[in-house]
Amino acid sequence: MKQPINHIRNIAIIAHVDHGKTTLVDGMLRQTNVFRNNQQMTERILDSNDLERERGITILAKNTSIEYNGVTINIVDTPGHADFGGEVERVMNMVDGVLLLVDAVEGPMPQTRFVLRQALQRGHKVILVVNKIDRPASRPEYAVNATFDLFVDLEATEDQADFPVIYTRALEGKAGYEPDKLTEDLRPLFDTILGHIPAPLVDPDGPTQLLVTTLEYSSYLGKIAVGRLTSGDIRAGQPIAHITAAGELKMGKVAQVFTFRDLKRVAETEVHAGNIVAVAGILDVGIGDTLADPDDPHPLPPITVEEPTVRMTFGINDGPFAGREGKYLTSRQIRDRLQRELESNVALRVAETDKASEFVVSGRGELHLAILIETMRREGYEFCVSRPEVIFKEDGKGGVLEPVEHVFLEVHSDYLGAVSEMMGRRRAQTLSIRYGDDGTVYAEYLVPTRGILGFRQPFLTATRGTGIFHALFHGYEPFLGDMNMQPLGAIISLEMGAVSAYALLNLQPRGTFFIKPGDEVYSGQVVGQHTREDELVANVCRTKHLTNHRSTPQAMADSLIPPRILSLDDAIEYLKKDDLLEVTPNSLRIRKKELRHDERQKVAKRAKLVG
């Protein structure tokens, strides 16, 4: 018999990137006396990952809890970017309601749509938190009305659309029921959570059942499975039935049981249904598995996430500079690392190829895969990745389906023509165009995913860096035909050596360079972008013949245009079909798959003859 556990609330905080949800969690932790008065604290406490702090986004869902008026509030901080939707989809199984955070100026944004849809589809109740109401251009009434329209658009029930609204300044830890009447703390928010979010409905006397939604790792305890205990009790030392997502039944024993208190795991002798718990001792547990009573082993429905839409090939670095910087170089080491990633990254897929040194890695978008690449290089891995490509499907009638994105653009009206032309070349279908009072144009398109791979950089160039671009996965549609993007060609190094200022000075009119004098390059490495569509093989190591005339090296270097330094995201977007990106802990180099120039020329001639 299911009954509510009134001393527990399980909530997730969802929002668009950079609307302040992690900052709000900071304030909630501070005001429930999680920290000592003399304790040194950082901002964005839950963004513990270096990449999260650098990029200013949440990548991994994380658990914490606070206590307010005798009620334990378990909080899950979720990513705001759709590329990490796998994190969002699985943690929604652990909670009964959500705090939807929106910016008082911007209102609900495109990424909010994806995360909110996941919550509404599971029937969760929502509390709207309008944050940053102290901003000069704050318009809280617009934010509330636009959020209600979004609820209607996402087909929320009448009960879900009747949401309470709290206004906050998360940085100052203030909240209130009216935008101009804030209290000095977050009590209105805490009271609304207790009053509006339902208590977990569980069967406390039933057999043990826990769906594993997150994995943690401890060097002392090994794998730790995290999930909500939906039925019965679980205690340290008890036998447990481990049912995998594929239905295989294994027997195990619980070593330790933890609950989350403040920012720590707290060991417990026994935990009752309704709590979010961590269980150690189950060796090969995975996300989507069920931990159940050995005498009555019934699995819970496994976690399902949307399928990947983009894939890249990961392989060993076979370039001339291989092994100079990396610690882990071999195909076995790369394979083992990718397999470990599968244990916690539910939206990722890894497949073997006919080459032992290459693996096809599929994810939810370029950013999803870029974060994995950046994480691996920081761990000391050295490898090569190919250009991202979309994953096609068959429609069962001999036709081909391709993934399509719902794209949201904000551009000034001066740049709308250039952007519209770019979207037209990418087979975009216009959904709506709306003009703002300040000259900003808000446009929505349906665009094939292959059309937005590598789109961000030319889009920013066309809008002089002022455009805003968001994309959400829409679905699979019939193949929309070939695209003529007319990309610019590459400047390729002719030989190995150190780059000379003299060579770059003479080559400056031919394109934009990614290198500077003194850098080491090798034959077949892409060192710049050509001004034309064809490739240019150039000797960037050439030095000046000795004469009686001298010009100082500094004067020559000063006359050079500064190189374009590519970030990882820029480099991935730049890749062409026959390129590879060489990733090492210290360097990013774009190179041709075939380093020998004569072989590339033969392939190009054969392609022309066939064409």
Side-chain angles (χ1 to χ4, degrees):
M1 183 70 178
K2 289 194 173 184
Q3 61 188 66
I5 307 299
N6 291 315
H7 64 277
I8 297 174
R9 297 292 187 275
N10 298 319
I11 62 168
I13 299 186
I14 59 177
H16 180 79
V17 177
D18 199 33
H19 275 199
K21 64 184 181 306
T22 308
T23 305
L24 181 66
V25 175
D26 289 358
M28 296 171 76
L29 291 169
R30 285 188 181 95
Q31 294 186 22
T32 50
N33 299 318
V34 170
F35 306 102
R36 302 185 308 274
N37 291 334
N38 64 345
Q39 186 169 345
Q40 291 293 318
M41 291 174 51
T42 60
E43 292 184 350
R44 297 187 292 121
I45 302 152
L46 286 188
D47 280 353
S48 53
N49 183 309
D50 288 343
L51 271 176
E52 292 178 321
R53 289 190 172 278
E54 287 173 22
R55 289 176 177 253
I57 61 174
T58 300
I59 296 169
L60 303 172
K62 302 173 197 69
N63 298 68
T64 186
S65 79
I66 58 177
E67 190 164 320
Y68 178 74
N69 286 354
V71 177
T72 298
I73 303 175
N74 290 308
I75 302 170
V76 184
D77 186 22
T78 62
H81 200 289
D83 275 21
F84 308 110
E87 294 281 320
V88 176
E89 290 172 48
R90 58 191 172 91
V91 300
M92 286 300 166
N93 291 280
M94 290 197 291
V95 299
D96 304 292
V98 296
L99 299 184
L100 172 62
L101 200 70
V102 302
D103 188 293
V105 176
E106 298 175 343
M109 295 288 281
Q111 302 291 347
T112 315
R113 173 184 293 267
F114 167 79
V115 186
L116 181 60
R117 184 193 300 138
Q118 302 298 324
L120 295 177
Q121 286 176 349
R122 286 166 173 78
H124 293 332
K125 285 199 168 186
V126 180
I127 297 172
L128 175 62
V129 180
V130 181
N131 191 30
K132 303 184 183 179
I133 64 165
D134 54 329
R135 290 180 63 182
S138 172
R139 42 181 185 169
E141 187 177 339
Y142 160 78
V144 174
N145 292 335
T147 303
F148 180 80
D149 292 342
L150 179 58
F151 271 65
V152 173
D153 193 30
L154 295 176
E155 300 178 351
T157 65
E158 285 188 24
D159 190 37
Q160 288 174 323
D162 186 21
F163 49 81
V165 182
I166 300 294
Y167 301 91
T168 63
R169 296 185 200 167
L171 268 176
E172 300 173 24
K174 296 180 179 181
Y177 300 106
E178 300 290 338
D180 54 350
K181 296 179 182 177
L182 300 191
T183 63
E184 291 302 310
D185 54 28
L186 295 172
R187 286 179 186 275
L189 176 60
F190 293 135
D191 291 335
T192 306
I193 291 172
L194 299 194
H196 187 71
I197 302 297
L201 198 62
V202 298
D203 183 2
D205 301 319
T208 302
Q209 275 188 316
L210 182 148
L211 181 67
V212 179
T213 51
T214 309
L215 289 179
E216 296 183 359
Y217 185 81
S218 162
S219 55
Y220 176 63
L221 297 168
K223 275 189 187 179
I224 300 174
V226 180
R228 184 168 74 169
L229 189 58
T230 57
S231 174
D233 304 322
I234 192 165
R235 61 188 179 278
Q238 85 171 65
I240 200 80
H242 170 206
I243 308 169
T244 67
E248 184 182 355
L249 177 63
K250 305 175 183 179
M251 299 308 295
K253 184 178 180 180
V254 176
Q256 280 187 272
V257 179
F258 303 89
T259 55
F260 293 92
R261 174 63 61 205
D262 304 332
L263 295 174
K264 304 183 294 290
R265 287 192 300 263
V266 179
E268 307 279 1
T269 53
E270 187 175 23
V271 181
H272 306 290
N275 270 296
I276 293 177
V277 299
V279 180
I282 317 301
L283 295 177
D284 53 351
V285 67
I287 290 172
D289 294 357
T290 300
L291 302 183
D293 190 327
D295 298 327
D296 192 8
H298 288 294
L300 291 163
I303 295 170
T304 56
V305 298
E306 292 180 5
E307 291 297 310
T309 57
V310 175
R311 64 187 173 202
M312 299 172 75
T313 300
F314 283 49
I316 61 170
N317 180 14
D318 58 357
F321 295 167
R324 288 190 177 188
E325 300 171 0
K327 183 178 176 184
Y328 307 108
L329 315 168
T330 67
S331 59
R332 179 184 60 80
Q333 290 168 329
I334 295 171
R335 178 193 289 110
D336 290 347
R337 177 62 182 83
L338 292 174
Q339 292 299 324
R340 285 203 308 277
E341 186 68 22
L342 288 176
E343 294 177 354
S344 58
N345 198 334
V346 293
L348 199 74
R349 302 286 184 273
V350 177
E352 305 271 348
T353 67
D354 52 3
K355 293 183 180 179
S357 60
E358 291 184 356
F359 313 93
V360 176
V361 181
S362 307
R364 293 284 281 269
E366 282 181 282
L367 182 59
H368 186 199
L369 295 176
I371 291 295
L372 171 60
I373 293 168
E374 182 64 35
T375 303
M376 289 178 63
R377 73 182 290 222
R378 292 185 182 207
E379 293 172 358
Y381 286 85
E382 183 175 316
F383 53 100
C384 284
V385 297
S386 69
R387 176 190 181 189
E389 59 181 32
V390 300
I391 300 172
F392 295 99
K393 289 184 177 180
E394 295 183 2
D395 61 3
K397 303 176 184 177
V400 175
L401 300 176
E402 68 173 324
V404 173
E405 307 284 329
H406 190 170
V407 173
F408 301 79
L409 300 179
E410 293 181 31
V411 299
H412 193 274
S413 55
D414 294 347
Y415 309 124
L416 181 61
V419 171
S420 297
E421 183 182 350
M422 292 170 67
M423 300 308 288
R425 289 202 301 267
R426 287 164 169 79
R427 303 274 182 175
Q429 174 188 342
T430 306
L431 296 179
S432 68
I433 295 180
R434 180 169 55 88
Y435 290 83
D437 297 336
D438 58 351
T440 302
V441 180
Y442 303 87
E444 295 183 32
Y445 300 90
L446 289 182
V447 190
T449 301
R450 59 197 167 99
I452 63 168
L453 296 178
F455 172 71
R456 189 176 303 273
Q457 193 59 46
F459 170 72
L460 290 175
T461 302
T463 60
R464 304 297 188 270
T466 62
I468 299 175
F469 162 74
H470 296 290
L472 295 176
F473 176 63
H474 174 73
Y476 273 83
E477 301 285 348
F479 183 71
L480 292 169
D482 295 330
M483 298 179 186
N484 182 20
M485 306 283 210
Q486 297 177 331
L488 296 175
I491 302 175
I492 304 165
S493 175
L494 175 66
E495 59 184 47
M496 183 185 293
V499 177
S500 73
Y502 173 74
L504 293 186
L505 195 60
N506 288 299
L507 290 168
Q508 265 190 159
R510 309 301 293 273
T512 304
F513 285 93
F514 309 145
I515 53 172
K516 62 183 184 299
D519 287 350
E520 281 194 272
V521 297
Y522 54 79
S523 176
Q525 180 178 334
V526 176
V527 294
Q529 187 172 36
H530 197 195
T531 53
R532 301 183 180 181
E533 294 177 30
D534 56 336
E535 289 183 356
L536 172 67
V537 179
N539 185 358
V540 293
C541 305
R542 183 163 62 102
T543 55
K544 186 179 181 183
H545 295 296
L546 293 177
T547 66
N548 289 330
H549 176 69
R550 296 285 183 270
S551 58
T552 64
Q554 186 59 45
M556 195 177 292
D558 288 344
S559 60
L560 287 174
I561 298 171
R564 178 182 163 195
I565 305 300
L566 297 178
S567 67
L568 176 62
D569 295 337
D570 294 337
I572 291 174
E573 286 188 357
Y574 177 85
L575 291 175
K576 307 286 193 301
K577 193 172 182 179
D578 61 339
D579 289 344
L580 289 175
L581 176 61
E582 183 181 318
V583 180
T584 77
N586 302 326
S587 308
L588 296 170
R589 300 184 187 92
I590 299 173
R591 48 160 283 195
K592 292 297 176 183
K593 290 181 181 178
E594 175 55 66
L595 296 177
R596 293 171 297 177
H597 308 303
D598 55 338
E599 289 297 323
R600 288 202 310 278
Q601 288 174 345
K602 289 177 185 176
V603 170
K605 285 181 180 177
R606 283 198 294 268
K608 281 185 179 180
L609 290 174
V610 172

